[in-house]
Amino acid sequence: MYSFREIVQNSDLEKYFRLRRDLYLQTALAPFLNDNDAGIDLDLHDLHSKFYGLYAGEDLVGGIRLIVDKAAHYNSHVYDLGRRHRIYDDRCGDPAGLQALPHDDFPFVGYSDETRAFYERWRGDHPFCEAGRFVICDDHRGMKLAQFVIECTTVTAMIHSGARVGLGVTFASYPKAYRRYGYHYIGETEHYMVNGVKLAGVVGRLCLDLSEGSSVPEHLHDRFEGMAEEFMTTGRMVAAL
């Protein structure tokens, strides 16, 4: 039995940061990581993110972050963790300090001129959030489980930001796993910018429109509403896979 729920224990939060670093180092996504001696993956966007874990029983076996508006959310638990490992300093020790630091609202904004233009067009009308750093331990990987996490992430974005929200993701493979839920292309490029470095590799970007006239297929509406009710009632979404 698997469950998807918010990571609330500091020990699980650190485990997730270590897990995503270890797994990213094995893939073409390694350039997304920032070097540090702590063996964990942390960046400024984590300070305005919510974190959700995939649990097998009570064991954390995967997770994903949901980056939200930095003016609306500040994660002090992440700051304390990063400060302890000397990754963060006093400049980002509070919401005002974080907002003063030069970094894009969301990672995908800086990948290309195309994504920046898309975000500038969108932000005036609807809230936005970005899902990323999606990892699952090797011995639990499978398409059905990945789809379950994508569905849960979509539902939590709706709960957090309301029905009028755009949810962006960046993928290096398997775009069909997202498009079946109504995600549509923002664009695709053979080069992208990460940490100020131009990298080669086909990376696509998708956006799910959860505003009025949602792009979510109609046959999924009842399912997503049921999952949202389950999450708000029990604090988790459960699947037997």
Side-chain angles (χ1 to χ4, degrees):
M1 183 72 71
Y2 291 94
S3 64
F4 180 96
R5 60 185 190 264
E6 189 169 3
I7 302 175
V8 295
Q9 295 185 0
N10 288 341
S11 58
D12 279 354
L13 196 59
E14 183 162 354
K15 182 178 180 180
Y16 165 65
F17 292 139
R18 293 189 183 280
L19 177 64
R20 75 186 197 188
R21 177 184 182 275
D22 292 345
L23 295 181
Y24 264 49
L25 283 174
Q26 302 172 25
T27 72
L29 299 175
F32 284 83
L33 303 175
N34 294 310
D35 290 334
N36 64 71
D37 296 327
I40 61 178
D41 172 37
L42 277 180
D43 62 22
L44 288 177
H45 295 292
D46 290 309
L47 289 170
H48 54 104
S49 295
K50 290 180 173 290
F51 302 93
Y52 298 91
L54 177 66
Y55 290 82
E58 293 302 315
D59 295 329
L60 181 71
V61 299
I64 194 166
R65 74 176 177 185
L66 187 66
I67 308 170
V68 299
D69 186 350
K70 60 186 176 184
H73 178 69
Y74 179 81
N75 197 319
S76 60
H77 296 292
V78 173
Y79 173 75
D80 291 341
L81 176 63
R83 181 66 170 165
R84 176 159 52 88
H85 288 295
R86 300 182 180 180
I87 297 172
Y88 299 139
D89 57 33
D90 292 340
R91 294 177 298 167
C92 54
D94 55 48
L98 175 63
Q99 292 189 58
L101 290 175
H103 76 291
D104 287 318
D105 293 346
F106 300 95
F108 91 100
V109 175
Y111 292 164
S112 69
D113 292 340
E114 183 181 28
T115 50
R116 187 174 299 278
F118 170 85
Y119 178 61
E120 292 300 327
R121 290 194 303 270
W122 180 281
R123 65 186 300 188
D125 297 324
H126 307 298
F128 198 87
C129 49
E130 180 179 353
R133 294 296 206 268
F134 174 23
V135 293
I136 300 179
C137 291
D138 291 343
D139 52 350
H140 290 273
R141 289 184 181 176
M143 184 55 69
K144 288 185 178 180
L145 193 54
Q147 289 173 346
F148 172 64
V149 174
I150 293 171
E151 291 178 358
C152 291
T153 303
T154 303
V155 169
T156 53
M158 296 168 66
I159 293 171
H160 176 76
S161 299
R164 300 175 62 80
V165 60
L167 175 62
V169 297
T170 299
F171 65 89
S173 58
Y174 307 118
K176 290 183 180 179
Y178 293 92
R179 296 183 72 182
R180 66 182 295 174
Y181 298 110
Y183 288 82
H184 55 83
Y185 277 109
I186 301 172
E188 191 170 290
T189 181
E190 294 183 356
H191 296 88
Y192 54 103
M193 297 296 295
V194 175
N195 295 327
V197 178
K198 185 177 182 180
L199 300 171
V202 176
V203 171
R205 291 161 298 277
L206 295 163
C207 179
L208 180 69
D209 183 357
L210 297 173
S211 61
E212 293 180 5
S214 170
S215 60
V216 177
E218 188 172 352
H219 71 275
L220 292 173
H221 288 192
D222 288 344
R223 173 173 173 76
F224 281 6
E225 289 173 4
M227 292 174 68
E229 183 177 356
E230 178 187 17
F231 187 80
M232 290 186 290
T233 302
T234 68
R236 65 186 63 197
M237 289 170 271
V238 177
L241 299 173

